[in-house]
Amino acid sequence: MEQIRQFFQANNIKQVELQGEDLLITYNDGKKETYSLSNNQELKPIKNYLQSQGKKSISLEELTELSKSQENKKNYWPWIIGGGVILAGIIGLVIWLVMRKKKGGEE
């Protein structure tokens, strides 16, 4: 999705609409052009994205909002895994210290 957003920005595209096997592209200046997907490999990812999302069209504004909402999602898994590893290390250290003291007292 980020690649599609960058493609929109690089080519001054405002909106793309899927029309059968063609894409109707509306540019920021209002100009509209229709491109056949059969001979344009560069536009196929846009078609695939629209079909996977069940949409007929997408705009740069929508892509930007989707991109921002994905950036705002926090991924806590690294913190959870890191905390678990640290906790396991502390528990292992405590067990090692207790076992060492017991062995030292038995002699």
Side-chain angles (χ1 to χ4, degrees), residues 6-21:
Q6 290 174 355
F7 180 81
F8 271 53
Q9 287 180 323
N11 293 285
N12 294 317
I13 296 173
K14 182 178 182 179
Q15 181 175 346
V16 172
E17 184 178 337
L18 184 61
Q19 297 179 332
E21 287 299 311

PDB file of all heavy atoms in Angstrom, residues 6-21:
ATOM      1  N   GLN A   6       3.144   6.113  -2.759  1.00  0.00           N
ATOM      2  CA  GLN A   6       4.304   6.802  -3.323  1.00  0.00           C
ATOM      3  C   GLN A   6       4.168   6.962  -4.843  1.00  0.00           C
ATOM      4  O   GLN A   6       4.549   7.989  -5.402  1.00  0.00           O
ATOM      5  CB  GLN A   6       5.587   6.055  -2.969  1.00  0.00           C
ATOM      6  CG  GLN A   6       5.942   6.157  -1.506  1.00  0.00           C
ATOM      7  CD  GLN A   6       7.127   5.289  -1.123  1.00  0.00           C
ATOM      8  OE1 GLN A   6       7.646   4.531  -1.934  1.00  0.00           O
ATOM      9  NE2 GLN A   6       7.557   5.391   0.125  1.00  0.00           N
ATOM     10  N   PHE A   7       3.611   5.942  -5.502  1.00  0.00           N
ATOM     11  CA  PHE A   7       3.374   6.012  -6.944  1.00  0.00           C
ATOM     12  C   PHE A   7       2.393   7.138  -7.265  1.00  0.00           C
ATOM     13  O   PHE A   7       2.586   7.901  -8.207  1.00  0.00           O
ATOM     14  CB  PHE A   7       2.852   4.671  -7.456  1.00  0.00           C
ATOM     15  CG  PHE A   7       2.582   4.644  -8.926  1.00  0.00           C
ATOM     16  CD1 PHE A   7       3.613   4.461  -9.831  1.00  0.00           C
ATOM     17  CD2 PHE A   7       1.288   4.805  -9.415  1.00  0.00           C
ATOM     18  CE1 PHE A   7       3.368   4.437 -11.199  1.00  0.00           C
ATOM     19  CE2 PHE A   7       1.029   4.788 -10.780  1.00  0.00           C
ATOM     20  CZ  PHE A   7       2.073   4.605 -11.672  1.00  0.00           C
ATOM     21  N   PHE A   8       1.325   7.240  -6.457  1.00  0.00           N
ATOM     22  CA  PHE A   8       0.347   8.319  -6.638  1.00  0.00           C
ATOM     23  C   PHE A   8       1.037   9.674  -6.528  1.00  0.00           C
ATOM     24  O   PHE A   8       0.835  10.560  -7.358  1.00  0.00           O
ATOM     25  CB  PHE A   8      -0.762   8.221  -5.584  1.00  0.00           C
ATOM     26  CG  PHE A   8      -1.937   7.366  -5.974  1.00  0.00           C
ATOM     27  CD1 PHE A   8      -1.775   6.064  -6.420  1.00  0.00           C
ATOM     28  CD2 PHE A   8      -3.217   7.862  -5.870  1.00  0.00           C
ATOM     29  CE1 PHE A   8      -2.857   5.286  -6.764  1.00  0.00           C
ATOM     30  CE2 PHE A   8      -4.322   7.090  -6.214  1.00  0.00           C
ATOM     31  CZ  PHE A   8      -4.136   5.796  -6.659  1.00  0.00           C
ATOM     32  N   GLN A   9       1.844   9.851  -5.488  1.00  0.00           N
ATOM     33  CA  GLN A   9       2.504  11.137  -5.266  1.00  0.00           C
ATOM     34  C   GLN A   9       3.500  11.455  -6.379  1.00  0.00           C
ATOM     35  O   GLN A   9       3.551  12.589  -6.864  1.00  0.00           O
ATOM     36  CB  GLN A   9       3.222  11.133  -3.913  1.00  0.00           C
ATOM     37  CG  GLN A   9       2.268  11.215  -2.745  1.00  0.00           C
ATOM     38  CD  GLN A   9       2.980  11.206  -1.412  1.00  0.00           C
ATOM     39  OE1 GLN A   9       3.979  10.523  -1.241  1.00  0.00           O
ATOM     40  NE2 GLN A   9       2.438  11.958  -0.456  1.00  0.00           N
ATOM     41  N   ALA A  10       4.284  10.472  -6.783  1.00  0.00           N
ATOM     42  CA  ALA A  10       5.305  10.692  -7.801  1.00  0.00           C
ATOM     43  C   ALA A  10       4.700  11.060  -9.151  1.00  0.00           C
ATOM     44  O   ALA A  10       5.307  11.799  -9.934  1.00  0.00           O
ATOM     45  CB  ALA A  10       6.180   9.451  -7.943  1.00  0.00           C
ATOM     46  N   ASN A  11       3.485  10.564  -9.426  1.00  0.00           N
ATOM     47  CA  ASN A  11       2.856  10.792 -10.725  1.00  0.00           C
ATOM     48  C   ASN A  11       1.704  11.796 -10.667  1.00  0.00           C
ATOM     49  O   ASN A  11       0.933  11.901 -11.618  1.00  0.00           O
ATOM     50  CB  ASN A  11       2.384   9.464 -11.308  1.00  0.00           C
ATOM     51  CG  ASN A  11       3.543   8.564 -11.651  1.00  0.00           C
ATOM     52  OD1 ASN A  11       4.229   8.791 -12.636  1.00  0.00           O
ATOM     53  ND2 ASN A  11       3.794   7.570 -10.826  1.00  0.00           N
ATOM     54  N   ASN A  12       1.586  12.517  -9.552  1.00  0.00           N
ATOM     55  CA  ASN A  12       0.538  13.520  -9.374  1.00  0.00           C
ATOM     56  C   ASN A  12      -0.859  12.961  -9.622  1.00  0.00           C
ATOM     57  O   ASN A  12      -1.692  13.590 -10.268  1.00  0.00           O
ATOM     58  CB  ASN A  12       0.789  14.731 -10.273  1.00  0.00           C
ATOM     59  CG  ASN A  12       2.037  15.469  -9.874  1.00  0.00           C
ATOM     60  OD1 ASN A  12       2.278  15.686  -8.692  1.00  0.00           O
ATOM     61  ND2 ASN A  12       2.849  15.840 -10.841  1.00  0.00           N
ATOM     62  N   ILE A  13      -1.101  11.760  -9.086  1.00  0.00           N
ATOM     63  CA  ILE A  13      -2.398  11.104  -9.264  1.00  0.00           C
ATOM     64  C   ILE A  13      -3.288  11.437  -8.076  1.00  0.00           C
ATOM     65  O   ILE A  13      -2.876  11.326  -6.920  1.00  0.00           O
ATOM     66  CB  ILE A  13      -2.229   9.577  -9.398  1.00  0.00           C
ATOM     67  CG1 ILE A  13      -1.432   9.263 -10.665  1.00  0.00           C
ATOM     68  CG2 ILE A  13      -3.578   8.875  -9.417  1.00  0.00           C
ATOM     69  CD1 ILE A  13      -1.050   7.808 -10.816  1.00  0.00           C
ATOM     70  N   LYS A  14      -4.507  11.843  -8.375  1.00  0.00           N
ATOM     71  CA  LYS A  14      -5.480  12.148  -7.337  1.00  0.00           C
ATOM     72  C   LYS A  14      -6.313  10.915  -6.996  1.00  0.00           C
ATOM     73  O   LYS A  14      -6.555  10.617  -5.834  1.00  0.00           O
ATOM     74  CB  LYS A  14      -6.402  13.277  -7.800  1.00  0.00           C
ATOM     75  CG  LYS A  14      -7.427  13.697  -6.783  1.00  0.00           C
ATOM     76  CD  LYS A  14      -8.265  14.856  -7.294  1.00  0.00           C
ATOM     77  CE  LYS A  14      -9.269  15.299  -6.239  1.00  0.00           C
ATOM     78  NZ  LYS A  14     -10.060  16.435  -6.733  1.00  0.00           N
ATOM     79  N   GLN A  15      -6.753  10.182  -8.042  1.00  0.00           N
ATOM     80  CA  GLN A  15      -7.634   9.039  -7.837  1.00  0.00           C
ATOM     81  C   GLN A  15      -7.492   8.053  -8.983  1.00  0.00           C
ATOM     82  O   GLN A  15      -7.189   8.434 -10.106  1.00  0.00           O
ATOM     83  CB  GLN A  15      -9.087   9.501  -7.755  1.00  0.00           C
ATOM     84  CG  GLN A  15     -10.069   8.381  -7.507  1.00  0.00           C
ATOM     85  CD  GLN A  15     -11.482   8.899  -7.312  1.00  0.00           C
ATOM     86  OE1 GLN A  15     -11.695  10.087  -7.108  1.00  0.00           O
ATOM     87  NE2 GLN A  15     -12.449   8.007  -7.369  1.00  0.00           N
ATOM     88  N   VAL A  16      -7.709   6.778  -8.658  1.00  0.00           N
ATOM     89  CA  VAL A  16      -7.703   5.723  -9.677  1.00  0.00           C
ATOM     90  C   VAL A  16      -8.993   4.931  -9.519  1.00  0.00           C
ATOM     91  O   VAL A  16      -9.391   4.588  -8.410  1.00  0.00           O
ATOM     92  CB  VAL A  16      -6.487   4.792  -9.514  1.00  0.00           C
ATOM     93  CG1 VAL A  16      -6.591   3.598 -10.424  1.00  0.00           C
ATOM     94  CG2 VAL A  16      -5.203   5.537  -9.792  1.00  0.00           C
ATOM     95  N   GLU A  17      -9.638   4.658 -10.656  1.00  0.00           N
ATOM     96  CA  GLU A  17     -10.889   3.894 -10.649  1.00  0.00           C
ATOM     97  C   GLU A  17     -10.737   2.697 -11.577  1.00  0.00           C
ATOM     98  O   GLU A  17     -10.286   2.825 -12.715  1.00  0.00           O
ATOM     99  CB  GLU A  17     -12.033   4.791 -11.123  1.00  0.00           C
ATOM    100  CG  GLU A  17     -13.386   4.121 -11.057  1.00  0.00           C
ATOM    101  CD  GLU A  17     -14.510   5.061 -11.488  1.00  0.00           C
ATOM    102  OE1 GLU A  17     -14.321   6.290 -11.419  1.00  0.00           O
ATOM    103  OE2 GLU A  17     -15.555   4.541 -11.895  1.00  0.00           O
ATOM    104  N   LEU A  18     -11.102   1.527 -11.070  1.00  0.00           N
ATOM    105  CA  LEU A  18     -11.034   0.298 -11.854  1.00  0.00           C
ATOM    106  C   LEU A  18     -12.295   0.174 -12.703  1.00  0.00           C
ATOM    107  O   LEU A  18     -13.412   0.228 -12.197  1.00  0.00           O
ATOM    108  CB  LEU A  18     -10.902  -0.909 -10.912  1.00  0.00           C
ATOM    109  CG  LEU A  18     -10.725  -2.277 -11.544  1.00  0.00           C
ATOM    110  CD1 LEU A  18      -9.456  -2.333 -12.379  1.00  0.00           C
ATOM    111  CD2 LEU A  18     -10.691  -3.347 -10.457  1.00  0.00           C
ATOM    112  N   GLN A  19     -12.101   0.014 -14.009  1.00  0.00           N
ATOM    113  CA  GLN A  19     -13.216  -0.138 -14.947  1.00  0.00           C
ATOM    114  C   GLN A  19     -12.945  -1.365 -15.804  1.00  0.00           C
ATOM    115  O   GLN A  19     -12.343  -1.259 -16.869  1.00  0.00           O
ATOM    116  CB  GLN A  19     -13.368   1.100 -15.817  1.00  0.00           C
ATOM    117  CG  GLN A  19     -13.703   2.350 -15.047  1.00  0.00           C
ATOM    118  CD  GLN A  19     -13.822   3.574 -15.932  1.00  0.00           C
ATOM    119  OE1 GLN A  19     -13.210   3.674 -16.979  1.00  0.00           O
ATOM    120  NE2 GLN A  19     -14.630   4.529 -15.481  1.00  0.00           N
ATOM    121  N   GLY A  20     -13.361  -2.513 -15.302  1.00  0.00           N
ATOM    122  CA  GLY A  20     -13.094  -3.767 -16.007  1.00  0.00           C
ATOM    123  C   GLY A  20     -11.617  -4.074 -16.001  1.00  0.00           C
ATOM    124  O   GLY A  20     -11.017  -4.251 -14.953  1.00  0.00           O
ATOM    125  N   GLU A  21     -11.007  -4.108 -17.175  1.00  0.00           N
ATOM    126  CA  GLU A  21      -9.561  -4.340 -17.293  1.00  0.00           C
ATOM    127  C   GLU A  21      -8.794  -3.051 -17.542  1.00  0.00           C
ATOM    128  O   GLU A  21      -7.634  -3.093 -17.944  1.00  0.00           O
ATOM    129  CB  GLU A  21      -9.280  -5.353 -18.413  1.00  0.00           C
ATOM    130  CG  GLU A  21      -9.645  -6.773 -18.054  1.00  0.00           C
ATOM    131  CD  GLU A  21      -8.874  -7.308 -16.847  1.00  0.00           C
ATOM    132  OE1 GLU A  21      -7.641  -7.174 -16.809  1.00  0.00           O
ATOM    133  OE2 GLU A  21      -9.518  -7.840 -15.932  1.00  0.00           O
TER     134      GLU A  21
END
